[in-house]
Amino acid sequence: MSIFLVEGGRRLEGTVRTHGAKNSVLPILAATILGRGESVIRNCPELSDVTASLAILEHLGCKTAREGDTVRVDASSLSRCDVPDNLMREMRSSVIFLGAILGRMGEAVLSAPGGCELGPRPIDLHLASIRALGGRVDETGGALRCTGNHMAGTDIVLSIPSVGATENTMLAAVAAQGVTTITNAAREPEIADLQAFLRSMGADVRGAGSSMITIRGGLPLHGAEHTVMGDRIVAATYLAAAAAAGGEIEVTGADCRHLSTVTAVLSQAGCRIHSDDNRISLARSGPLRGVSPVRTAPYPGFPTDAQAPLMAALTTAAGTSVFVENIFESRYRHVDELSRMGASIRVEGRVAVVFGVERLKAAAVRAADLRGGAALVVAALGAEGRSTISGLHHVDRGYQDLDGALRSLGADIVRLEEDE
């Protein structure tokens, strides 16, 4: 079992670069299935979710290889259409393979996906899109068997702008004959990154980043090269860490436009922010102050994935801060652990009210999910004393060498292996 030991109270200084985006690379890796040949994915982070994706690709018959942050996937020998239960349980995003496998093989057999328990995240929108394209879906005993040898383009209207459903629909639609339009599509930057990769494979996909995406399917696809965009949530976490601990840092590799709602909250809290293309600097010298209500929303709103790290930073802000979680029902699992460190937070349904305290104190805490784990690291950096953070398998799903990145900024954080 891995743990972080964090000695709080050290200011952060220096420059740190974000790695490739978890929420971008996973659908891109799934998309490699659609091309008959080798794809080269650069800026591919070493995350446990990426490792799980590569294991799925290898099970399906692809050949994969990693050299540094470059991953090669050769889908020429794809021979299977099933993903076994043990691989599906590794990550919630494994369902993203559904559209790609179905598009390439005409059949896909999957079980219910795993991942963080953040409340109900039904895949009904994914399955509705497959059915709209002409696919058949049978659900029996927790398993999904989908067939779609003759899928055809159609008009699909999503009831909510689901990121996963938008991506899965795109992956299935590029293999369907004719034109598909997705209305009320999610607008996240990661979807535009997926579109860029699909276009480099020879697909005709337009409109990503807007609420309507058009796909002219049925074109022959080939392997391609692509560089994954920087991870905006990792960048937000670094910024929150500096806000909690104090100091002055520069974060590179993430588009500042994708983080405008996050930097606006940090600026309101008293941090000095300067943004320039793929570079964001934050300086915090004085105390933080409470902010107006932060409401999570689909992009371009405040990202739900940044809610926990920002909340951790604001636990010591003078006054009161309010968070309203509109995406997931169970996204406050970090609150009890922050309370162990002395935070004063009251949760009622989807609302969390943070009453700023003078300082946090070190404690032994445990991550219950990915972003909640990052929040505990942020809190520990600003706390008094040495904190122990366990449950790092959650953190490893979305952060590559988080302790190393923070040490490069002057943080006192080490990772240790303990006997379970």
Side-chain angles (χ1 to χ4, degrees):
M1 179 180 71
S2 298
I3 61 169
F4 281 151
L5 291 181
V6 184
E7 185 74 40
R10 289 199 176 192
R11 290 166 56 86
L12 302 185
E13 306 282 347
T15 299
V16 64
R17 183 172 181 83
T18 61
H19 54 68
K22 164 189 175 288
N23 292 335
S24 183
V25 73
L26 299 183
I28 286 173
L29 287 173
T32 61
I33 292 172
L34 295 164
R36 298 177 184 274
E38 183 181 79
S39 292
V40 180
I41 312 301
R42 296 190 174 86
N43 200 29
C44 183
E46 292 196 51
L47 310 173
S48 59
D49 271 11
V50 170
T51 300
S53 293
L54 295 177
I56 289 173
L57 289 169
E58 290 171 358
H59 170 81
L60 294 171
C62 299
K63 297 175 182 177
T64 72
R66 176 188 280 279
E67 184 176 344
D69 69 354
T70 297
V71 166
R72 297 177 181 273
V73 179
D74 189 342
S76 303
S77 55
L78 189 74
S79 57
R80 303 182 64 118
C81 65
D82 66 299
V83 180
D85 183 69
N86 65 306
L87 292 178
M88 287 294 296
R89 289 181 180 274
E90 288 294 316
M91 61 173 184
R92 171 68 59 170
S93 300
S94 54
V95 74
I96 199 63
F97 281 88
L98 173 60
I101 296 173
L102 186 61
R104 171 76 183 270
M105 302 294 286
E107 183 180 6
V109 181
L110 289 74
S111 62
C116 291
E117 297 299 328
L118 302 177
R121 288 195 277 179
I123 60 171
D124 56 324
L125 294 182
H126 302 241
L127 303 183
S129 293
I130 297 300
R131 291 187 173 107
L133 290 166
R136 178 177 176 178
V137 181
D138 294 320
E139 301 177 70
T140 306
L144 294 172
R145 181 178 293 275
C146 304
T147 54
N149 287 308
H150 304 289
M151 292 192 297
T154 188
D155 294 332
I156 295 173
V157 181
L158 298 178
S159 58
I160 59 172
S162 162
V163 174
T166 299
E167 293 167 339
N168 238 337
T169 304
M170 291 168 67
L171 294 175
V174 295
Q177 296 295 324
V179 176
T180 297
T181 60
I182 308 172
T183 302
N184 198 29
R187 299 167 57 189
E188 271 71 4
E190 293 80 8
I191 292 173
D193 207 25
L194 174 60
Q195 173 181 273
F197 178 59
L198 290 172
R199 288 175 64 88
S200 68
M201 298 177 77
D204 186 349
V205 185
R206 306 168 189 269
S210 74
S211 59
M212 180 174 287
I213 299 174
T214 303
I215 303 109
R216 184 165 66 90
L219 300 177
L221 303 183
H222 49 75
E225 297 190 14
H226 183 76
T227 300
V228 178
M229 63 176 281
D231 196 311
R232 59 194 173 106
I233 305 304
V234 170
T237 302
Y238 294 153
L239 295 172
E248 184 170 355
I249 71 167
E250 183 178 74
V251 180
T252 65
D255 191 326
C256 64
R257 296 170 296 181
H258 299 160
L259 284 162
S260 59
T261 54
V262 174
T263 54
V265 171
L266 289 168
S267 179
Q268 186 182 4
C271 299
R272 297 193 306 278
I273 303 286
H274 178 72
S275 302
D276 180 17
D277 295 331
N278 292 327
R279 194 177 302 271
I280 306 167
S281 63
L282 178 146
R284 189 216 121 187
S285 53
L288 296 174
R289 52 179 179 265
V291 300
S292 56
V294 177
R295 296 178 172 86
T296 65
Y299 189 85
F302 189 93
T304 181
D305 284 352
Q307 174 254 107
L310 264 290
M311 181 186 291
L314 291 172
T315 54
T316 57
T320 302
S321 301
V322 177
F323 288 80
V324 182
E325 176 54 57
N326 293 310
I327 307 298
F328 294 123
E329 290 183 7
S330 302
R331 197 112 214 206
Y332 292 137
R333 300 177 72 192
H334 52 283
V335 168
D336 287 346
E337 300 302 291
L338 290 176
S339 297
R340 291 169 62 90
M341 302 177 75
S344 177
I345 306 171
R346 186 176 71 238
V347 175
E348 294 184 9
R350 292 182 177 270
V351 178
V353 182
V354 181
F355 304 94
V357 296
E358 185 175 349
R359 65 177 60 86
L360 297 181
K361 295 192 176 180
V365 292
R366 182 175 184 82
D369 57 64
L370 168 55
R371 306 306 174 183
L376 299 181
V377 174
V378 168
L381 291 171
E384 201 173 68
R386 174 171 288 189
S387 295
T388 303
I389 304 170
S390 58
L392 299 191
H393 61 284
H394 292 296
V395 177
D396 292 341
R397 291 185 48 237
Y399 294 88
Q400 174 182 303
D401 191 25
L402 179 59
D403 52 318
L406 293 171
R407 277 197 304 275
S408 74
L409 297 173
D412 187 345
I413 175 173
V414 295
R415 182 174 185 136
L416 299 177
E417 301 297 327
E418 287 195 340
D419 294 333
E420 296 195 44

